[in-house]
Amino acid sequence: MTHHKKLTIGLFGFGVVGEGLYKVLQQTPSLSASIKKVCIKDASKKRNAPDSLFTTERDELLNDADINVIVEVINEAEPAFEIVTRALRNGKSVVSASKKMIAEHLPELLALQQEVEPSFLYEAAACASIPVIRNLEEYYDNDLLHGIKAIVNGSTNFILTKMFEDKLDFQQALLLAQQLGFAESDPSLDVEGFDALNKWTFLLTHAYGIIEHPNNLLFTGIQNIHAMDARVAAEKGQQIKLVAQAQKLQNGKVASFVLPQFIQADDHLSFVKNEYNGVVIESGFADKQFFYGKGAGSFPTASAVLSDLSALRYEYKYEYKKLYHHQPNSITNDYYLRVYLSFTDWKYIPREKFEWIEEWHAREERKYLVGVLHVKELIENDWWKQNNTSLILTPQPIIEDVAIQQLKKKSLELAGVAF
């Protein structure tokens, strides 16, 4: 193994993250890494770096024998995939921050990594400054990882924080997030949960060896969260967060989703405010461990890229231990969720689909209920996303089939009916 390998970088993209990396590398000479060329789309745009550094021709980077590392931090998934695959086949290691590209092309990227020698690292693609991928990859054994839940999108977390702390409604909080640069002019990828879903797709691979296309996972964002929902949460001493969660069930399979959730005051995720991210990992003997840090921004994301570059000096590669060295887990859709629903009219709510309804309330502006649904009802139908309906999971929302049967048996016994 070659130690302290000198890194000559070809950088794709010079936006917030690319420029951040350029500045960070100038302050870390001990890394022995330098950017030789930067590929950008618009040559006329003024940038805070020498003009000689830039080109619009990607082949200048991909075919340069002196460049041994490609750093890819562009926003478009398909061009990013082409850049990554060509670079790897050309013998160059790759560091990427493109979560959508990785999520949508994970099987092809895994197959390619089996064929080629160079490394493909992407810590910056999830949770920015939090080293969650490396920890899942190196530290947690498959059989002992009971569950993982996380706030992985800073934009939605900022909006929800402002709804709670400043009593803003959703649109006001979104506008503030856009003004401060925490949300895009078109915020749909963040607000509707797609960004969090993409990150969660490959975090599942490193946590449980699960390979699943994002289209097959249950998710929604915070687009339907109402100001009344925030008030109800506050009355219960709780907050609302967009939470990505995976939990191993008694049958050994994994329940996983990305959905808004009520968070209790003593939950680690209740401390994650504004644009920060947080990850709670529960294992067999270590109990719960909490990772916290900035989930977006120039320097936080660049720090993750820098960490991957540092690892490349030692030719570090992901081993995908949970996938190749253990029996991979699999996703199950055979469980129940305890949910809160707020809505304007009962006619939009199929009450017959609930196992039971524990409570319901009618307020002046909206109604709400708490009840139990089979997860397949949410996967196979979208009524819970329509007609201004808001769905939020309760704390500890997962109910396994065994628990349902026990509860039904107990209720029938109390009614004097044999089970």
Side-chain angles (χ1 to χ4, degrees):
M1 179 181 291
T2 303
H3 294 276
H4 300 286
K5 181 172 69 174
K6 180 174 172 54
L7 306 178
T8 303
I9 299 167
L11 175 61
F12 282 86
F14 204 74
V16 171
V17 179
E19 185 174 348
L21 177 64
Y22 174 73
K23 292 177 179 178
V24 165
L25 285 173
Q26 290 178 318
Q27 299 174 47
T28 52
S30 62
L31 190 62
S32 297
S34 61
I35 297 174
K36 183 176 182 182
K37 210 71 178 175
V38 182
C39 185
I40 41 86
K41 288 177 66 176
D42 183 4
S44 64
K45 184 178 178 181
K46 183 63 180 172
R47 294 175 170 85
N48 297 316
D51 290 342
S52 59
L53 197 62
F54 298 98
T55 180
T56 56
E57 298 297 325
R58 66 177 60 177
D59 285 348
E60 282 192 44
L61 285 67
L62 294 172
N63 295 335
D64 188 332
D66 292 335
I67 291 175
N68 55 8
V69 179
I70 293 293
V71 175
E72 176 278 305
V73 289
I74 67 176
N75 291 325
E76 299 167 282
E78 293 310 311
F81 179 63
E82 182 183 348
I83 290 164
V84 168
T85 53
R86 281 190 59 194
L88 289 170
R89 292 192 184 282
N90 284 0
K92 305 180 190 300
S93 292
V94 176
V95 175
S96 174
S98 295
K99 52 263 186 182
K100 186 173 188 291
M101 180 272 291
I102 298 166
E104 293 184 348
H105 293 284
L106 188 56
E108 301 103 297
L109 291 167
L110 288 168
L112 181 56
Q113 289 176 80
Q114 294 290 299
E115 297 176 19
V116 300
E117 184 63 28
S119 302
F120 175 50
L121 304 179
Y122 44 84
E123 190 71 66
C127 300
S129 65
I130 304 174
V132 60
I133 293 176
R134 198 88 57 86
N135 273 281
L136 287 171
E137 183 70 21
E138 302 296 337
Y139 190 79
Y140 295 96
D141 186 272
N142 194 6
D143 295 332
L144 300 180
L145 188 62
H146 289 179
I148 173 173
K149 63 179 182 178
I151 295 168
V152 297
N153 181 270
S155 301
T156 53
N157 203 52
F158 179 89
I159 292 167
L160 290 170
T161 300
K162 294 307 173 186
M163 289 180 71
F164 273 85
E165 296 191 348
D166 297 345
K167 305 298 186 290
L168 303 182
D169 65 27
F170 175 81
Q171 289 299 329
Q172 291 171 325
L174 172 59
L175 180 60
L176 179 61
Q178 290 171 319
Q179 291 171 342
L180 294 175
F182 294 131
E184 302 289 340
S185 55
D186 178 6
S188 57
L189 283 177
D190 292 318
V191 167
E192 295 178 17
F194 292 99
D195 178 77
L197 174 69
N198 287 330
K199 296 169 183 174
W200 198 239
T201 301
F202 52 86
L203 286 177
L204 279 174
T205 306
H206 291 281
Y208 287 111
I210 291 169
I211 303 172
E212 195 67 73
H213 193 278
N215 291 348
N216 298 328
L217 294 173
L218 174 64
F219 84 102
T220 194
I222 65 168
Q223 67 272 21
N224 291 332
I225 301 294
H226 195 276
M228 189 199 82
D229 303 330
R231 291 197 296 273
V232 170
E235 291 166 8
K236 296 176 179 288
Q238 300 169 354
Q239 301 175 44
I240 300 171
K241 303 286 187 182
L242 181 62
V243 178
Q245 183 166 351
Q247 182 174 314
K248 188 176 285 188
L249 305 182
Q250 293 181 34
N251 61 13
K253 295 188 177 182
V254 176
S256 186
F257 43 78
V258 179
L259 294 168
Q261 188 170 143
F262 286 113
I263 298 296
Q264 294 174 314
D266 61 351
D267 192 307
H268 293 83
L269 294 184
S270 70
F271 301 102
V272 183
K273 309 285 188 181
N274 296 315
E275 74 273 22
Y276 282 79
N277 284 185
V279 182
V280 179
I281 296 174
E282 185 173 2
S283 61
F285 299 108
D287 197 15
K288 292 181 181 178
Q289 294 177 301
F290 178 45
F291 299 82
Y292 171 81
K294 284 196 171 182
S298 177
F299 288 152
T301 308
S303 73
V305 174
L306 194 69
S307 176
D308 281 344
L309 289 172
S310 180
L312 287 179
R313 293 187 303 165
Y314 306 94
E315 299 180 356
Y316 175 79
K317 301 182 75 169
Y318 296 141
E319 294 182 63
Y320 298 97
K321 296 182 177 72
K322 319 296 175 56
L323 179 62
Y324 299 131
H325 305 315
H326 295 263
Q327 179 64 39
N329 290 108
S330 60
I331 293 284
T332 180
N333 293 324
D334 190 14
Y335 60 96
Y336 300 81
L337 289 171
R338 183 177 277 109
V339 304
Y340 158 102
L341 282 173
S342 74
F343 50 94
T344 55
D345 197 316
W346 274 107
K347 70 182 180 182
Y348 300 126
I349 308 302
R351 281 172 279 185
E352 72 280 1
K353 300 292 187 180
F354 285 80
E355 295 296 313
W356 64 79
I357 294 174
E358 297 177 357
E359 58 177 286
W360 74 272
H361 304 267
R363 298 198 173 187
E364 186 173 335
E365 69 271 46
R366 289 171 74 82
K367 304 171 179 63
Y368 78 85
L369 64 82
V370 176
V372 174
L373 286 166
H374 198 284
V375 73
K376 287 182 180 178
E377 176 61 28
L378 301 179
I379 292 171
E380 294 172 0
N381 300 287
D382 66 354
W383 56 265
W384 53 280
K385 296 182 182 181
Q386 305 298 320
N387 301 304
N388 202 25
T389 301
S390 171
L391 180 143
I392 304 168
L393 300 182
T394 64
Q396 287 79 51
I398 297 171
I399 304 174
E400 298 189 48
D401 185 65
V402 172
I404 289 283
Q405 297 304 322
Q406 289 173 342
L407 287 167
K408 286 182 176 180
K409 180 179 179 182
K410 184 176 181 180
S411 64
L412 288 171
E413 287 174 347
L414 289 172
V417 178
F419 188 76

